[in-house]
Amino acid sequence: MTVYVVGLDGADWSLLRPWAREGHLPAFRRVLDEGVDGDLQSTLPPVTFPAWKCYSTGKTPGKLGVYEWYAYDRDAQALSANDASDFTSREYWEVLADHGVDAGVVNMPTTHPANARDLDGVDIVAGSPANERKTLTNPESLKRDLLDAVPEYRVKPDLVLDEATPDELVAEGKALFDQRFAAAEFLADERDRDLVHTTLFFTDTLQHRLWDHPEHLQEAYEHVDDRLGDLLDREDADAVFLMSDHGFVEISEIFLPNQWLAERGDLAFESDSTRTLLSSVGLTEERLKRAVDRMGLVSLAQRLVPKSVQGLFPSESGRVAIQDAAIDWTETKAVSLGRGPVYVNHAAFADADDPAAAVERYRRSLADDLAALETPDGQPVASAVHDPADVYTGDRERGPDLVVEYATGVDAPEAIGGAVFGERTEWLATHRRTGVFAGWGEDVAAGTADLELYDLAPTLLHYLDVPVPADVDGDVRTDVLDGEPADRDVETGPPSEIGASDRGAGEEVEETLRELGYLE
């Protein structure tokens, strides 16, 4: 028998509940009627990296060493993309394998590279930015069997996302959803996995771009519902759990924190004549994408055009990803990475009489200024500006100096260039902390319960009668369980902390972030 976990990247009850009540999503309605459901509170910031690993480890980013897609190396004064090798914890399926419970994982974004660690008893089909033409699986021999069973399987969409029509995006989503469910069923049927997790990442992509086309989003989720219904009807399905790494909301305002820092004089740049020259002759990122799409060379370009070349092309909006900008670290006091973490350049205060005190004064002043910021409409930019010690646990390795919790609907990309407020991209909606949770099946409760993302790993371990690592941050939520698992005492096992096997992800991660719209 098998426990299935379906990860719906960015799924939000504001969409799913009405469609389920109206009869458009009968499988979701079945789970809601017969099982347990509620809100799932994500981490800060609520983004793919590190949220999926917060789910799979039960820990806050402070114990994982990853806070966003990118990391800041204070000693080297360099920015680099994170990947699976940067996380300093084992995942719950590794703990399951220690106790003879074999697991399989399909398409979870934070599992690239698939061979980041040796994993006995765990099958990994890596998520983006993995590539079916390279090392896709762990064990590596699994790739051949997977592609025999699901010949069309691919990790990334085969189209230029911001040039595609709504119909093309939905069609692409349906194809990818089918592949994810087929891979999960392959792991259960042919690999005899006891637990299978599969992530539908393209739900996030669709919602970013089609929030103003609810009929297209509904069509995509109806296809997910068909496959979910098949899963519920499988004879081997002991239980099915649904979860999202965060929720979604319409963008009400765009705020560029690095542009704000630059205009204050806190973030400085060296001259960049290459970008200026390319822009003057009309070579922009968007025009390059359109040309590649017209020639039918998307897959080839994704494989062959390195990030270092892509990054030279300026956006038509005038914005540049902070990772591509020539930062002058001798004059820079702070930089924002992603939608929340802010790092202070401690080296900028080295000449002060008391450098540590100078850093702390600046940090507090910056926090006050961010907390007081208002949008052009007079609304707060941030709902809170946190000391990382108040929101993260553990040693907070490579941690930020501030964590900005942006107001709901405020999107804060790390790009530089253009106006501080209001510079729109192809994204119409952004992430919010409240996602979805639901469970259905044997020894799963009925009713409602709200959870935190960190609660899922310990709860699933306990459900499968496996000890919970002593260093998890989440709780075993026996209120979402029934029968013997609900009555059984929680058994504590050894900590699951490990060291990072590597630092710095290389160009493949950055290329994928650019394709998805996370970088300018």
Side-chain angles (χ1 to χ4, degrees):
M1 303 301 284
T2 307
V3 173
Y4 293 93
V5 182
V6 180
L8 304 166
D9 201 295
D12 199 282
W13 284 129
S14 67
L15 299 179
L16 299 182
R17 286 191 193 279
W19 291 336
R21 285 196 300 266
E22 294 163 7
H24 301 296
L25 305 178
F28 280 95
R29 178 65 180 264
R30 181 178 173 188
V31 172
L32 294 174
D33 288 347
E34 299 176 10
V36 61
D37 66 273
D39 291 339
L40 189 68
Q41 189 79 345
S42 186
T43 189
L44 275 174
V47 293
T48 298
F49 268 63
W52 282 109
K53 277 291 196 290
C54 293
Y55 145 70
S56 64
T57 63
K59 300 176 183 179
T60 78
K63 289 181 180 175
L64 302 180
V66 175
Y67 306 85
E68 241 280 4
W69 288 100
Y70 273 76
Y72 170 48
D73 185 328
R74 295 186 188 280
D75 294 331
Q77 291 189 320
L79 310 179
S80 62
N82 291 305
D83 69 10
S85 64
D86 292 302
F87 291 93
T88 57
S89 178
R90 304 176 79 215
E91 298 172 88
Y92 76 80
W93 32 77
E94 297 176 69
V95 180
L96 290 175
D98 290 344
H99 293 80
V101 181
D102 294 332
V105 182
V106 177
N107 198 50
M108 202 172 86
T110 52
T111 51
H112 169 81
N115 58 354
R117 293 200 308 279
D118 291 332
L119 301 175
D120 293 328
V122 182
D123 285 346
I124 300 290
V125 180
S128 186
N131 192 311
E132 63 274 9
R133 290 169 292 275
K134 299 180 182 178
T135 302
L136 172 64
T137 64
N138 193 357
E140 192 166 355
S141 60
L142 174 62
K143 180 169 74 170
R144 180 188 62 251
D145 296 336
L146 169 69
L147 295 180
D148 284 344
V150 191
E152 69 278 12
Y153 192 92
R154 51 192 164 81
V155 179
K156 301 179 185 179
D158 192 17
L159 75 172
V160 177
L161 296 176
D162 31 336
E163 296 296 327
T165 68
D167 287 338
E168 289 171 337
L169 288 169
V170 171
E172 185 74 357
K174 290 179 179 180
L176 294 174
F177 299 154
D178 283 341
Q179 294 165 25
R180 307 302 177 241
F181 278 103
E185 292 162 357
F186 157 74
L187 292 181
D189 294 338
E190 304 301 325
R191 302 284 293 184
D192 198 26
R193 301 291 99 177
D194 303 303
L195 177 139
V196 177
H197 168 103
T198 189
T199 296
L200 309 185
F201 181 72
F202 208 69
T203 48
D204 178 276
T205 302
L206 291 172
Q207 290 172 183
H208 275 306
R209 289 166 168 78
L210 299 180
W211 198 257
D212 62 340
H213 290 77
E215 70 283 2
H216 286 91
L217 294 178
Q218 180 181 317
E219 179 184 352
Y221 273 108
E222 286 175 353
H223 194 80
V224 174
D225 189 83
D226 289 341
R227 297 307 301 255
L228 176 60
D230 294 339
L231 206 62
L232 297 176
D233 289 338
R234 285 178 60 93
E235 291 184 0
D236 71 329
D238 269 350
V240 176
F241 293 93
L242 308 177
M243 52 78 60
S244 66
D245 55 332
H246 52 74
F248 248 82
V249 66
E250 181 180 3
I251 293 174
S252 58
E253 185 60 76
I254 302 288
F255 169 65
L256 300 187
N258 283 318
Q259 184 66 28
W260 177 75
L261 287 169
E263 293 185 8
R264 284 164 50 99
D266 292 349
L267 177 57
F269 301 93
E270 301 169 1
S271 62
D272 191 351
S273 58
T274 303
R275 281 184 174 276
T276 302
L277 175 62
L278 288 168
S279 183
S280 68
V281 297
L283 294 177
T284 64
E285 180 185 3
E286 288 83 355
R287 292 178 188 179
L288 176 64
K289 288 179 179 178
R290 285 195 287 271
V292 168
D293 193 27
R294 283 195 297 270
M295 290 186 289
L297 300 177
V298 175
S299 293
L300 181 64
Q302 288 174 343
R303 294 200 304 273
L304 299 182
V305 180
K307 173 260 172 185
S308 56
V309 174
Q310 294 181 34
L312 289 175
F313 289 87
S315 168
E316 289 180 355
S317 69
R319 302 199 315 199
V320 176
I322 192 65
Q323 296 82 5
D324 296 327
I327 298 174
D328 182 353
W329 292 106
T330 64
E331 299 294 331
T332 289
K333 295 180 181 178
V335 63
S336 173
L337 285 188
R339 291 156 167 85
V342 176
Y343 292 80
V344 175
N345 178 20
H346 294 193
F349 301 89
D351 293 335
D353 292 337
D354 186 341
V359 167
E360 181 60 16
R361 284 194 300 272
Y362 174 76
R363 189 184 73 87
R364 291 189 178 187
S365 174
L366 185 60
D368 290 342
D369 291 347
L370 283 164
L373 264 179
E374 292 184 346
T375 70
D377 292 335
Q379 300 301 311
V381 169
S383 57
V385 180
H386 300 280
D387 184 327
D390 296 333
V391 293
Y392 299 144
T393 57
D395 293 336
R396 303 191 303 282
E397 181 186 0
R398 303 195 304 169
D401 294 277
L402 295 172
V403 181
V404 183
E405 184 173 0
Y406 288 102
T408 301
V410 173
D411 190 39
E414 67 269 35
I416 188 76
V420 171
F421 289 101
E423 292 280 348
R424 295 280 176 164
T425 68
E426 71 274 9
W427 280 14
L428 303 173
T430 190
H431 303 175
R432 66 171 182 147
R433 288 191 72 186
T434 304
V436 308
F437 164 77
W440 170 95
E442 183 177 344
D443 291 332
V444 177
T448 60
D450 296 335
L451 283 71
E452 291 192 346
L453 194 62
Y454 314 119
D455 297 334
L456 294 178
T459 300
L460 287 165
L461 286 170
H462 178 74
Y463 176 77
L464 290 162
D465 200 13
V466 169
V468 177
D471 57 347
V472 300
D473 292 309
D475 297 322
V476 173
R477 294 295 300 271
T478 54
D479 55 328
V480 305
L481 306 178
D482 198 11
E484 190 271 340
D487 297 332
R488 186 192 330 121
D489 290 338
V490 175
E491 183 179 354
T492 301
S496 53
E497 179 183 8
I498 58 171
S501 59
D502 193 13
R503 289 297 190 195
E507 291 188 351
E508 194 171 11
V509 173
E510 299 191 21
E511 289 170 19
T512 296
L513 295 180
R514 202 175 304 280
E515 293 161 11
L516 293 172
Y518 284 93
L519 296 182
E520 290 298 318

